[in-house]
Amino acid sequence: MAIVRVELAKRPQQQRDAIIEGITRVLVENGAHTEGVQVLLYELEMDVWGQGGVTYTERLRRREAAQANETAGS
């Protein structure tokens, strides 16, 4: 049996389904039995997850502001 824990940003159900299917497929291709593979998705809000001292919510806000400034400057 294999249990895979994945921590990621919230996603639509269609993407969750594809992630679970893909991880399961990789493990089955490497000898696991389909029914023995469990995939647990732990979804996090982007404002509780950070990198370099900045939340991902803020990083996204900054990226969008920079893109808006680039578009305005064109």
Side-chain angles (χ1 to χ4, degrees), residues 9-35:
K10 288 198 173 214
R11 304 188 187 252
Q13 187 60 45
Q14 184 177 9
Q15 288 182 358
R16 290 184 205 122
D17 293 344
I19 290 167
I20 291 169
E21 180 182 340
I23 291 170
T24 301
R25 185 177 344 101
V26 166
L27 288 168
V28 169
E29 289 171 357
N30 287 280
H33 296 284
T34 303
E35 62 278 359

Side-chain angles (χ1 to χ4, degrees), residues 32-61:
H33 296 284
T34 303
E35 62 278 359
V37 176
Q38 296 181 36
V39 179
L40 305 167
L41 301 180
Y42 291 89
E43 294 183 313
L44 300 169
E45 296 289 343
M46 293 287 78
D47 52 352
V48 299
W49 192 346
Q51 179 180 2
V54 180
T55 66
Y56 277 97
T57 300
E58 178 62 18
R59 294 168 74 87
L60 176 61
R61 188 196 66 73

